[in-house]
Each structure stands twice: as structure tokens, then as C-alpha cells.
Amino acid sequence: MKISLNELSMPVAPLGPESPLPPLAGPGLVTIPVDLSAADPQMARNLAYGRPATLLPYTVQDGYSRNLVDTRVRTAVVENEILRAEFLLDYGGRMWSLRHKPSGRELLHRNPILQPANLALRNAWFAGGVEWNLGTTGHTPMTCAPLHAARVMRPDGVPMLRLWEFERMRELVYQLDIYAPAGSPVLVVHVSITNPNEHEVPIYWWSNIAVPSRDRTRVLAPASEAWHLASDGILRRVPAPEGYETEFEHAADYFYDIVSPFDERPWIAAVDESGAGLVQTSTSRLRGRKLFVWGKHTGGQRWQEWLSPPGHSYLEIQAGLARTQLEHLPMPAGERWTWLETYGLLETTPAVAHGEYELACAHIEESLSPMPDFDLAWVDLPPTERLHRGSGWGALEHRFRSAAGGGITPKLLIENDAPTSFSMSIPTPHMPGTPFDDDTLGRDQVSWLTLLEAGTMPAPAPRLAPSSYQVSPRWRQLLEQASPQNWFTLLHLGVARWHAADRDAAVEAWHQSHGASPNPWALRNLAFAGDDQVERLRTAHAMVPGVRAIAVETIQAMLAAGKPAEALGFIDRLVLNLRSNGRIRLLECRAAIDAGRLDRAARIVDTGIVVDDLREGEDALDDLWFRYHTQRGSTPVPQLPCLYDFRTGAPQ
């Protein structure tokens, strides 16, 4: 077995700059069940537990386009004589390829391009490989971010690839130890999640596995029933699907209800017409399994081609800690959770793979390779050789906890007219396996390190955008105590207060920030809070006319206020690169329809609108098409073109 570094040359759409605006709204990424009558009490509790108020401290990754550029992407490779696995080090450690060497078969959907699209918690996401999702329901905030990597040598002489990072929303440390011992037919992934806090944390994990989808691809899991949440918001317990994508007209996901004795070693497999494919197994902690398909409808097929080139369709099989992806589990303070996952080739005959469902599952169960051993002491083995650098957030957190342990005196905060003391005695756990060294600290951490060490942050020029945010109670406390205060510390204090649902105090801080030095960032946040939206956003835009996010929010506010003509005039004065942006062209067309300027709307509709960051489930394009033709009095209304059909549910 060996571990090596490599580079892939492939077409990539660069991520571009992140939005400077704090995401003050709730995630709003999934259908929230409105009817839980089918759920048992434990599932009902998990469904109601752990939903974050915002995505903070993360920012939104929306600076990409659909222009692909040949790029060299850094990877790490783990291989033995049977398997070769490759991981994208700058993209969340995504396992991009798993090739079975003797047969030459690629077991994963190895997308020939890397094209971000708006499907993740932070917006940018791309299809393909195996994604490691931690945080909250949705594609992880780290999916388009670098992480730390190292080679670790076990006492028995077997090397492991270790990937690790600090997850900022839940303040967890996670690591993957990946290896394929000599002669092993499976790749082994040992996952560890540590809660280094003195309080319980909601936890979410799903390993998201993309596999090729062909006419006879079948997904199998050892369950006769499944949970299904339809677009009507009703959670239903239904018979497990037969596993063929052709069953589904529209996008659908099914969570298999795997029960004893199969829950001791849950598994899920995807096989092709020959009966061969990928099988993923795990130890019992990773109990959930899921099937996701885009469906046969035009909208689902449009999404397939939006994410992968024609001829490269995929579906997803997934494995998670809970029974469904809508749940969070309570992880007690100071605990570490671990489990093993294996990935390898499954070979059966066509008659078995495509025969009676229960018999096919029984055959797969009997053919599974034994689960390998793992010594928990290996989790804390220090890295032998560093291979890649992730973010500096873990190092900053380590510095914070070390300083707090030195006896920082807490200050009383007033919340809802009641004094609350936040303890600053925060443990710095000894985790030698996942070092967060000071040399990883970078630009995004500089202001926060200064706040920690000097008690305040220097105020940049008001038109310079903030690059990062911190919102935990501990960082909020430092912001409350900052001395001297300036527009920058007050801006961040408002964001931390807003995240904590202390909305009036947040608005007060933003007013103080703008009063200390007029700045577009406080104005935008005040507008979001509902205070004179159009005028505040118009003024903010005038200060930073090149910031697309503020321009978009300004137009949206004008349309919401019933001012489409004003929105058109605003759009006409935008700088050229914003004027041609797909999202802004979409809003321009809507404004033209609302203002009765159908000639202007026609020019946009007829030349085509491409919204680079169109959200999964967003109905803006089909709604625009039908509104435009209704206003024109078209009889009958023309069929929605494939270009605009991203509908994932039944057309209304």
C-alpha cells in the first residue's frame, strides 16, 4: 500500500470571491415536514432538534460562473494492488475516484468537470465522488474548501491518509483515516468526530456517494420499508423502492429503514446491468441509508446536464448517523464518536442483481468482506508527514481556548433584561492526531487574533469588505468588551447578536457602526432587518457599486416594494459586469414584466437567461416564463423550454 500526492488536470469553474455579506437568514434548504404522524417519538424529537438560526459564521460562496478553465487540482492517492482512491484536497477531501485495478472499473461517478452550482449550504457544490457532510442538513460548508492532510504511520507499518478540519458552525473536530492494506478488496475510511466543548452539540453526518446512472442501474439496501418526504411536506413510511431510477418521474429521495439484524452492519449498493458495482458498508453507528435520483422528467435531466456533461448521469447512495437527513442527534460534551466505512467492488450475476429484491439483498449480505479491525489508539497518532494545509480556524480556536484557560474574566451580558454570565474556562483538549498549528493562520483570522490579543480590532477603510465572521457566545463576549469600539467591531457585534436572536441589540450595534463611520455593510444589515430597505440598500450600493450581492438585494427590495420602473432605472446604471450577470438579467426581466415593458422583457427571454447560481428547487425561471406569456396574452402558453426547466417536482 502507498500514499502519494498527485495533480489532476481538468476543466474547473473557479470559485471566485465569496460574498462579503453575512448570511442573516435561516438556511431554508430543505422541506420542513408539516406532518410527522408517521414518525416515532425518537425521530420526531430528532426532526425538531438542532436546526441552526443562520449559517454563520460561514460566508456564501457565490462568486463562480459557468466558464470552465483547464486547471491542475491537487489530490492525494491511496492505493494497493486492488484499489486506487483519489481525494481532492482543496475541495473538502472529496473522494473523486475509486478504481478497481484488476477490472479497470471506476466505481464512482467521476465527473469529467468541476462545475459549482447552488446546491450546498454555502451555495457552491459540485457533483461527483464521495462527499463527507458534517454540520447541518445539506451539503457541508466545507465541500468547496481545503482541509488538512497528512501521512500517518501505524505501529504495524501500514500508512494511513489522514484528513481533518475544524467545523465552525458546531465547533467540532473531525478526521478521516483512510487506508487499503495489502490485498484488501475494500478501501477503509475510519471517521472520528470530537466534541471538544463543555456542552451538548447537535450533530449531522452523511457520506454522499455519487455513482454512474445507466438504464439498468439498481440500488439495493437491506430494508423492506423506507421513509419518504414528498413536496407536500408529509413524511411517509412506504415500501422500499425497487431501486431503478426509471421508477421515478421526478426527483426523489428515500431513506431506508434498516432494522435488526441488518443494522449491525448496514450497507447500500448500486449495480449495473451486469450485476457489478459499488457496495458501501459501515459499523452500526452509521445506521442511515438513502437513495436520491433526479428522475426522468425534463427538469431532473436538465439538472443532470447542469452538473455533469451529457452522457455522465449519476444518482446518489448515502449513509448517515440518523435514519433521515432531516434529523440531528445530540452529541454530549467531550465525547468522540467513531465508525468504520468500507468501499469496494460488488460482483454478482445479472440474474441475482436484477431478480427478486429480498433474494438479491440476501446474496449481497453473504458476499460482504469481513469488516476490518481498527485500533482506536490510532486516532491520536500524530502525523508522520504533513501533505496539505487546510484553514486557520482550528489554530485560531486553539489560541482562543488556550488564552481562555489562562483566566480571562467574563463580563456580564444582558439578554432579555436578565444578566447572563458566559464562562470563559474552555478546555483545550489534547488531540495530537489533529494538530492546528499557528503556521496555518491566514488573512481571514488576522482581525480575530488581534481582538483576542489586543482587545479590539483595527478599523479598515469603510468600503473594504469584511472577509470573515465569528458568532459564538465566546467571540461575542470579546466583541462586547472590545475597547475602543469602532465601526468594524460594532458591525461584527451586531452580526453576533443577530445570530443569537438578540435582534434589537443587533440593530442598535449596526446603527452605532454606521454612526461611527458611514459604511455599506451596516446599512445592508439594517435593510435586512427591515429598516427602510430600498433607501438603505441604494445608499449602500452607491458606496460599493461593484458588489453584486448588494446590487441584487437592492433590486429585489425595489420589486418587493412595488417599484419595477425604479428597479429598471437602477439596473440601467449598473457597471457593465453586473449588468450582464444572469441573476440580474432575471430580475430585470421580472421588473420589465411588472412595469408593462414587455418589449424589454421579450429581448431578455428570447436571447436566453443563464443564472449561474440558480438554487436547487428555485422556480424563478419557469415562473418568469409563464408570467411573461400570461402578460402577453399568449394562447396557448408555449411549453416551457428545456433551457428554463429546472423543475424537480410535478409541474403546477
Side-chain angles (χ1 to χ4, degrees), residues 267-336:
W267 58 266
I268 191 167
V271 294
D272 63 14
E273 63 278 1
S274 72
L278 174 78
V279 61
Q280 186 269 2
T281 77
S282 72
T283 46
S284 59
R285 186 180 287 279
L286 201 70
R287 64 179 299 187
R289 292 299 186 276
K290 173 189 168 181
L291 162 66
F292 169 78
V293 296
W294 282 111
K296 299 181 296 182
H297 184 265
T298 306
Q301 294 305 301
R302 177 72 171 124
W303 273 109
Q304 288 270 23
E305 295 183 0
W306 188 252
L307 296 164
S308 297
H312 294 272
S313 296
Y314 73 96
L315 57 81
E316 292 173 357
I317 56 176
Q318 304 185 22
L321 286 174
R323 284 176 287 176
T324 74
Q325 283 182 328
L326 306 171
E327 300 171 73
H328 296 81
L329 304 182
M331 185 177 191
E335 283 202 3
R336 170 181 283 167

Side-chain angles (χ1 to χ4, degrees), residues 548 552 555 559 568 571 574 576-593 600-611 621 624 643-644:
R548 178 172 60 90
V552 167
I555 301 167
L559 292 175
L568 291 175
I571 291 168
L574 289 175
L576 184 60
N577 67 315
L578 295 186
R579 185 77 173 75
S580 60
N581 175 264
R583 174 69 62 182
I584 289 176
R585 281 172 52 80
L586 172 69
L587 293 171
E588 178 184 358
C589 190
R590 180 183 157 192
I593 294 170
R600 183 165 177 169
R603 289 194 296 270
I604 300 171
V605 170
D606 293 343
T607 56
I609 306 170
V610 178
V611 183
L621 284 173
L624 188 77
L643 175 69
Y644 295 149

Side-chain angles (χ1 to χ4, degrees), residues 98 107 185-187 209 211 220 265-271 276-281 317 342-347 364-365 367-369:
L98 181 61
L107 300 180
V186 296
L187 181 80
I209 308 151
V211 295
L220 296 151
R265 188 184 180 182
W267 58 266
I268 191 167
V271 294
L278 174 78
V279 61
Q280 186 269 2
T281 77
I317 56 176
T342 70
Y343 296 80
L345 174 67
L346 172 67
E347 291 183 294
I364 294 171
E365 185 81 27
S367 69
L368 295 178
S369 301

Side-chain angles (χ1 to χ4, degrees), residues 293-582:
V293 296
W294 282 111
K296 299 181 296 182
H297 184 265
T298 306
Q301 294 305 301
R302 177 72 171 124
W303 273 109
Q304 288 270 23
E305 295 183 0
W306 188 252
L307 296 164
S308 297
H312 294 272
S313 296
Y314 73 96
L315 57 81
E316 292 173 357
I317 56 176
Q318 304 185 22
L321 286 174
R323 284 176 287 176
T324 74
Q325 283 182 328
L326 306 171
E327 300 171 73
H328 296 81
L329 304 182
M331 185 177 191
E335 283 202 3
R336 170 181 283 167
W337 289 2
T338 70
W339 63 88
L340 279 178
E341 301 183 39
T342 70
Y343 296 80
L345 174 67
L346 172 67
E347 291 183 294
T348 66
T349 66
V352 169
H354 300 285
E356 199 274 325
Y357 191 93
E358 288 189 13
L359 292 178
C361 288
H363 179 88
I364 294 171
E365 185 81 27
E366 293 174 0
S367 69
L368 295 178
S369 301
M371 185 62 76
D373 294 328
F374 189 90
D375 188 337
L376 288 179
W378 297 341
V379 173
D380 288 322
L381 290 173
T384 305
E385 178 188 4
R386 295 290 289 267
L387 301 176
H388 194 69
R389 178 180 296 183
S391 79
W393 294 114
L396 180 68
E397 187 69 14
H398 185 268
R399 291 281 287 270
F400 189 109
R401 291 174 185 244
S402 298
I408 295 177
T409 303
K411 179 180 179 180
L412 288 180
L413 300 181
I414 305 299
E415 292 189 355
N416 302 322
D417 299 321
T420 304
S421 177
F422 286 87
S423 171
M424 297 293 286
S425 178
I426 307 156
T428 304
H430 181 61
M431 293 187 289
T434 53
F436 295 106
D437 297 331
D438 282 353
D439 63 3
T440 63
L441 292 165
R443 170 179 173 269
D444 288 346
Q445 292 83 42
V446 168
S447 293
W448 302 104
L449 189 59
T450 304
L451 175 64
L452 179 62
E453 295 178 343
T456 191
M457 294 191 286
R463 285 172 172 76
L464 290 179
S467 65
S468 61
Y469 297 91
Q470 293 278 33
V471 294
S472 73
R474 302 189 308 276
W475 284 104
R476 176 185 170 182
Q477 182 168 352
L478 290 186
L479 289 166
E480 295 278 2
Q481 297 175 191
S483 179
Q485 292 279 17
N486 56 53
W487 78 265
F488 197 59
T489 58
L490 290 164
L491 175 78
H492 282 289
L493 176 58
V495 173
R497 287 173 171 176
W498 182 273
H499 177 74
D502 196 355
R503 302 299 166 81
D504 290 342
V507 168
E508 178 186 8
W510 291 329
H511 277 296
Q512 292 173 342
S513 172
H514 190 63
S517 185
N519 67 89
W521 322 111
L523 283 176
R524 177 269 177 178
N525 294 347
L526 288 168
F528 185 91
D531 189 358
D532 199 8
Q533 286 190 331
V534 172
E535 288 310 310
R536 291 194 183 281
L537 285 168
R538 193 202 311 272
T539 304
H541 168 75
M543 292 180 173
V544 282
V547 176
R548 178 172 60 90
I550 289 181
V552 167
E553 290 189 6
T554 304
I555 301 167
Q556 290 171 332
M558 290 175 175
L559 292 175
K563 300 178 178 181
E566 191 172 327
L568 291 175
F570 177 84
I571 291 168
D572 288 338
R573 294 187 294 274
L574 289 175
V575 295
L576 184 60
N577 67 315
L578 295 186
R579 185 77 173 75
S580 60
N581 175 264

